[in-house]
């Protein structure tokens, strides 16, 4: 049986909620002429969660598009060092974005959403979870790059 990762599960749950709310709201609007007032906001919040947590899942699976024209210019022996450099830069940038998402979410915690009137923190927490997961995955990639280089140097010394 295939193992389900937490980011995949969270993204799927929010996507199912988004689709269900939209379908129910369309049904209510066309058959009963009584749309749900909060359906659009709930669907939007759930969709935002789907995007950021799903983005983390894609990052973990290396599904994001990349430009590899530069990597083809380097010799094979240098590619591990290029990968280390890229993983270091990505980890730093994602770490900063994660920090900014935390400060942004904390700053918006007293701002109510327009329809439901709940704290915007529930919506903005998707940034914290999504970028937090990407940060963890990028650190994991960085550690793998370091291990690959140390293993390569160890093979050269033997």
């Amino acid at each position: 049986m295939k193992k389900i990762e937490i980011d995949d599960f969270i993204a799927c749950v929010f996507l199912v909620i988004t689709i269900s709310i939209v379908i129910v709201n369309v049904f209510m609007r066309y058959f009963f002429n009584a749309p749900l007032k909060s359906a659009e906001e709930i669907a939007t919040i759930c969709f935002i969660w789907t995007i950021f947590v799903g983005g983390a899942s894609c990052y973990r699976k290396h599904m994001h598009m990349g430009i590899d024209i530069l990597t083809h210019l380097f010799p094979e022996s240098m590619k591990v060092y290029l990968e280390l450099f890229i993983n270091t830069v990505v980890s730093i940038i994602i770490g900063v974005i994660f920090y900014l998402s935390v400060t942004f979410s904390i700053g918006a915690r007293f701002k109510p959403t327009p329809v439901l009137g709940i704290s915007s923190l529930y919506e903005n927490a998707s940034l914290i979870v999504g970028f937090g997961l990407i940060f963890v995955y990028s650190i994991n990639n960085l550690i793998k790059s370091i291990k690959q280089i140390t293993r390569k140097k160890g093979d050269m010394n033997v």
Side-chain angles (χ1 to χ4, degrees), residues 3-4 6 19 44 51 55-56 61 68 71 74 82 87 91-92 95 98 103 115 118 125-126 131-132 134 157:
K3 180 181 167 188
I4 298 175
I6 188 72
I19 293 168
T44 302
I51 289 168
K61 297 173 188 174
D68 59 355
T71 58
F74 286 90
L82 181 63
N87 286 332
S91 294
I92 291 168
F98 173 67
T103 57
V115 178
I118 60 173
S126 62
F131 286 115
I134 294 173
N157 292 336

Side-chain angles (χ1 to χ4, degrees), residues 15-157:
L15 184 59
V16 167
I17 294 170
T18 302
I19 293 168
S20 300
I21 293 266
V22 170
I23 289 171
V24 167
N25 196 38
V26 168
F27 183 80
M28 294 293 291
R29 183 182 319 124
Y30 285 107
F31 292 107
F32 297 107
N33 201 23
L36 304 172
K37 293 176 184 169
S38 58
E40 184 179 340
E41 189 168 298
I42 293 170
T44 302
I45 291 170
C46 291
F47 189 62
I48 290 169
W49 272 88
T50 302
I51 289 168
F52 284 105
V53 179
S57 173
C58 289
Y59 183 82
R60 177 178 47 83
K61 297 173 188 174
H62 305 287
M63 292 175 65
H64 289 288
M65 293 176 62
I67 302 171
D68 59 355
I69 191 167
L70 288 176
T71 58
H72 290 301
L73 297 175
F74 286 90
E76 203 61 40
S77 60
M78 292 297 295
K79 287 186 181 179
V80 290
Y81 297 104
L82 181 63
E83 188 176 325
L84 174 66
F85 174 74
I86 291 169
N87 286 332
T88 302
V89 170
V90 168
S91 294
I92 291 168
I93 291 170
I94 294 298
V96 170
I97 293 172
F98 173 67
Y99 170 77
L100 292 173
S101 66
V102 170
T103 57
F104 174 75
S105 297
I106 290 171
R109 71 185 182 275
F110 297 118
K111 180 184 172 216
T113 59
V115 178
L116 294 173
I118 60 173
S119 171
S120 292
L121 183 60
Y122 295 112
E123 182 176 1
N124 296 334
S126 62
L127 297 168
I128 297 171
V129 173
F131 286 115
L133 287 171
I134 294 173
F135 183 64
V136 169
Y137 300 149
S138 68
I139 294 297
N140 188 37
N141 290 341
L142 182 61
I143 291 168
K144 286 178 184 177
S145 294
I146 293 169
K147 285 181 179 178
Q148 188 176 9
I149 289 174
T150 55
R151 197 172 337 138
K152 187 175 180 181
K153 285 185 179 182
D155 292 344
M156 291 174 147
N157 292 336

